[in-house]
Amino acid sequence: MAAEGAEENGRAAEVGPVARPTIRDVATRAGVSKSLVSLALQNAPRVAPQTRAAILAAAEELGYRRNAAAHALGAHRTRTIGVFVLDLHNPLTADVLDAVQAEARRRDYRTIIVVGGEDAAAERAELEKLLEFRVEGIIAVGHRLPDGADAAFTADCPAVIIGSDHRSTPHLASVSNDDVMGAGLAVDHLVSLGHERIACVDGGPSAVARDRRRGYRTAMRRHGLGDAIAVVKGSFTEDGGYRGASQALDLPERPTALFVVNDLAAMGAMAAVEDRGLSVPDDISVVGYDGTRLAGIRPIGLTTVGQPLQQMGTQAAARLCGQLDGEVCGQARTRLPPSLIERRTTARVLR
Amino acid sequence: MAAEGAEENGRAAEVGPVARPTIRDVATRAGVSKSLVSLALQNAPRVAPQTRAAILAAAEELGYRRNAAAHALGAHRTRTIGVFVLDLHNPLTADVLDAVQAEARRRDYRTIIVVGGEDAAAERAELEKLLEFRVEGIIAVGHRLPDGADAAFTADCPAVIIGSDHRSTPHLASVSNDDVMGAGLAVDHLVSLGHERIACVDGGPSAVARDRRRGYRTAMRRHGLGDAIAVVKGSFTEDGGYRGASQALDLPERPTALFVVNDLAAMGAMAAVEDRGLSVPDDISVVGYDGTRLAGIRPIGLTTVGQPLQQMGTQAAARLCGQLDGEVCGQARTRLPPSLIERRTTARVLR
DNA sequence: CTGAAAGCGCTTACAG
DNA sequence: CTGAAAGCGCTTACAG
C-alpha cells in the first residue's frame, strides 16, 4: 500500500498538465465500453442499473472529472451562458448578478462572468472570449454596450441586456427600468420639497444617461421650471459625480438640489458639496439613481430612484435560458417601473 | 449579390446552434491545408508571408472565430485562469479583481470569474465547473476557502488564495496581509485616543476572522486591557456587523469603541449604533478592516485598517501565471503589511 | 514552407 | 441494454 501511494505521488510530480482520467479509463476499470460510460454519466435512461452503478463507482474511484472542452465539442452544446459586466465597482452589478446566477442555476445552466470596462479593446477581447467559449447566450449588465457588441450578439448568439434599453438596437432583448419616468420621479420629489433650481449631473453619452437626462428635462418643463434646467457633464462613477457636481455648484445661480445619474456618482457629488463647505441636505439636496445597497447604507442614506434590480436579473436569465430551451418567450423588451426611495439626503428647501 | 445575401440569411434562420466556419472552411477558401491555417492563426514562424496573408484574409472574410473547446482539446492548454469569488457584494472583491485581471492580461492569460457563497453545494459546483473547464490555475478571493477546495486545488491545479492565509493548508500559495498586526494597529489607534472598553465584532470561524480576533486580544493585553476584552459574534456582512454591534452595545459595561472584522460589517455596526440613539464617533468610535473604497466614500469616512488590495491582486496573478509559464517563483506565501487609515469614525473618548 | 494523418476526450446514431 | 465507429474542430509531430 505504501508502494502504491508512492507511485501515485510519482505521477503528480510529472511536468506539465497532470494526465487526468478519461472515460476510457473509467470504461476499462468498469469493464464496459466508452459509449456506455458516456451514457451512464449523462444519466441516460437505457443503461442497466447495475452497469450504471459499476460505472459510477469506477468514476468515483478514479476521481474522474468530465472535460468540458471535449464535452462541448462532442455535444455541440455548452449549456453555459456568459455574463458581461461593465463595472464591477458599481454595486448594482452584484445585486443583479446574484439574481442572474440563481435563476440560471435553477434552469441548469452554468454561468461564467467576464468583466470589461478598461478600454474598448479590452472589452472587445472579453466579449470575443465569451464567443470563443461558445456560450449559448450572453447577458450584459451596464449602462451601455461594449463596442461592436450589437453585431456580435445578433449574429452569434442570443443576448439580453440588463439595465439599458437601446433604442438604436431594437432587435436586442432587454430588461430595464423606465429611466425617463424614474428621472421624473426624482424631479417631482424635489419639487414637492420646494426646490426649483435643480441641476442634473449627467452620465455622458450612454443610452441610460440619455434617458435620465431626457426625463429630467421633461419633468422640469412640466413643472414650469424650464428656465432652471441645468445639465452638467458627469459619468457613472464617483469621480464623474464629483466633477459634475463641482461644476454645478459653481454655476452663477447655484442649484439647491442635484439629481445625479446614479448612486455611485451621487457619492462623489456629496463629496463635492462637502468640499465647498456646504452640507447635505441642509444646503443641497441630492438624489441618486439605481436603488443599490450602497444608497441604503446607514451613514449614507441616499434618496434614490430604485430599480427592481433582483427582479431584472431574474427576468433576464429566465428569458435567455427559456429561449435557449425553446420556450416561446414573450416580448423581447421588458421595461419595469422604478420607484422613489426617500431617505435623508433630500430636505425642504430653505427660503 | 442580393441572392447571396438571401442565402446567408437563410442559414441564420436554421434551428439550433448556428454552424460557424471552421479552419476547414478557411483552408478551402484560402486554397491551403487545415494544418497551415492552424499554423498561420497561431502566428507560427515558418509560414510563407503571402500564404499567411491569404489565410488571414480568408478567415476575416468568413468571420472565422476560434472554437475554444476544440483548441483546448488539441493544444492541451486553455491559457485561462479561473477566479473564484466568495462575495461579490464585498467591495474588496472589485479592487482585487481589477488588479488580477490586468496582470493576467499582461501575461496573456484569460480569466473567467465564478461566484460562490450561496451555500456549500453551490460553491463546490462552481469550483467543479472551473476544474471541468480545465483552467490552468485558480485564484480564490475571500476570507475563507470553499469546502473541499483544499484537496481540489493541490490535486488538480495550482492555486493562490488572496486575502486569507490558511495555516491549516501550508501547501497552498497565498497573498495576504498580516491580520494579527492589522488588528493591533486598530487597537493601538483606539487606545491612543483614550479608549479602554474596546469590543471586537468578530467574523466567525474563518481563518481571517480568527487572526483579526487574535490580534485584537494580543494588543489589548499588551496595553494592559486584558480585562476589557470582549468579543461578540458577527460576520463579514453588513447584517452580521449589525447584529454583532447590537450585542456589544448591550453589554453591561458598554464599550466606547468597536473594532469590526471588515468594512462591510462596520457599515452594519454603525447602523446599530445609530439605532440605539448613539452617534459615531461622539459616543462610539468604529474601526473597520480592509481599506475598501466603500470606507473612503465621503459620507462614511470610516477609519479602517488598509490592505494593499491592488498590490495583492497583482502579486497573486503574477505568481500564478509565472508558475504556469515555468518561472521559478519565490516563496509561496506572501504577507504584506497593513496600515491604518484614519478618517472620521474614531475620536478621543469622552470622560 | 506545406500537407496527410493521428490524436485530444467526448457524444451520438447505428447495429446488434 | 451494449459496443464499434464516426465525428466534433482543433494541434502537432512527421514527411516531403
Side-chain angles (χ1 to χ4, degrees), chain B residues 14-99:
Chain B
E14 262 173 40
V15 196
V18 186
R20 298 203 46 81
T22 71
I23 51 166
R24 162 165 239 112
D25 300 316
V26 177
T28 305
R29 177 171 256 249
V32 298
S33 71
K34 279 171 19 182
S35 322
L36 218 37
V37 173
S38 176
L39 259 11
L41 258 22
Q42 301 173 59
N43 260 311
R46 57 248 191 91
V47 176
Q50 340 227 21
T51 315
R52 176 191 309 278
I55 291 173
L56 262 25
E60 174 75 42
E61 290 159 18
L62 256 27
Y64 171 80
R65 172 150 41 220
R66 182 175 80 171
N67 180 321
H71 179 271
L73 207 54
H76 306 286
R77 290 210 61 174
T78 58
R79 236 190 143 69
T80 111
I81 63 181
V83 180
F84 178 89
V85 167
L86 201 57
D87 180 12
L88 218 45
H89 291 278
N90 190 332
L92 168 151
T93 302
D95 286 335
V96 170
L97 285 199
D98 277 352

Side-chain angles (χ1 to χ4, degrees), chain A residues 334-346:
Chain A
T334 308
R335 184 155 240 170
L336 274 15
S339 59
L340 189 85
I341 303 172
E342 191 175 346
R343 285 196 272 248
R344 43 194 209 200
T345 55
T346 47

Side-chain angles (χ1 to χ4, degrees), chain A residues 28-298:
Chain A
T28 305
R29 175 172 258 251
V32 298
S33 71
K34 282 171 16 182
S35 321
L36 218 36
V37 173
S38 176
L39 258 11
L41 258 24
Q42 302 173 59
N43 260 310
R46 56 248 190 90
V47 176
Q50 340 226 22
T51 316
R52 176 190 308 278
I55 291 174
L56 262 24
E60 175 74 42
E61 288 158 19
L62 255 29
Y64 171 80
R65 172 149 42 220
R66 182 175 80 171
N67 179 320
H71 179 271
L73 207 55
H76 306 286
R77 290 210 60 173
T78 57
R79 234 188 146 69
T80 111
I81 63 180
V83 180
F84 178 89
V85 167
L86 201 56
D87 180 12
L88 219 44
H89 290 278
N90 190 332
L92 168 150
T93 301
D95 286 334
V96 171
L97 285 199
D98 277 352
V100 166
Q101 176 134 326
E103 181 64 16
R105 202 194 317 267
R106 223 178 56 71
R107 291 178 177 252
D108 198 29
Y109 276 88
R110 343 216 72 86
T111 103
I112 62 179
I113 302 169
V114 118
V115 8
E118 204 162 316
D119 57 64
E123 273 178 13
R124 183 72 210 162
E126 293 300 323
L127 216 50
E128 195 61 33
K129 181 164 74 191
L130 246 25
L131 266 6
E132 285 186 357
F133 267 120
R134 298 294 189 269
V135 293
E136 299 183 12
I138 291 183
I139 286 183
V141 12
H143 57 90
R144 63 171 174 77
L145 250 31
D147 279 358
D150 179 9
F153 286 170
T154 42
D156 301 317
C157 69
V160 8
I161 322 301
I162 299 183
S164 127
D165 176 16
H166 294 248
R167 238 162 257 146
S168 57
T169 59
H171 48 288
L172 285 188
S174 65
V175 178
S176 58
N177 90 121
D178 188 331
D179 290 303
V180 172
M181 173 181 170
L185 254 28
V187 172
D188 291 350
H189 169 62
L190 259 6
V191 169
S192 79
L193 291 173
H195 292 275
E196 296 186 344
R197 291 200 307 282
I198 304 169
C200 170
V201 177
D202 186 34
S206 77
V208 170
R210 181 204 55 205
D211 283 355
R212 294 182 185 173
R213 196 187 316 142
R214 198 171 283 176
Y216 157 80
R217 284 209 172 95
T218 306
M220 288 294 277
R221 285 198 206 96
R222 178 159 38 78
H223 287 290
L225 262 21
D227 290 345
I229 288 178
V231 177
V232 297
K233 201 179 156 220
S235 81
F236 283 76
T237 64
E238 255 191 277
D239 211 46
Y242 185 93
R243 290 196 314 271
S246 300
Q247 201 180 322
L249 295 171
D250 287 343
L251 253 23
E253 290 270 277
R254 192 172 75 204
T256 61
L258 261 24
F259 165 54
V260 190
V261 74
N262 75 348
D263 291 347
L264 206 52
M267 299 300 127
M270 293 204 272
V273 171
E274 182 182 315
D275 281 352
R276 270 168 181 66
L278 301 170
S279 85
V280 175
D282 298 337
D283 302 306
I284 310 282
S285 283
V286 176
V287 181
Y289 205 115
D290 282 350
T292 56
R293 294 191 192 184
L294 175 64
I297 283 179
R298 206 61 77 79

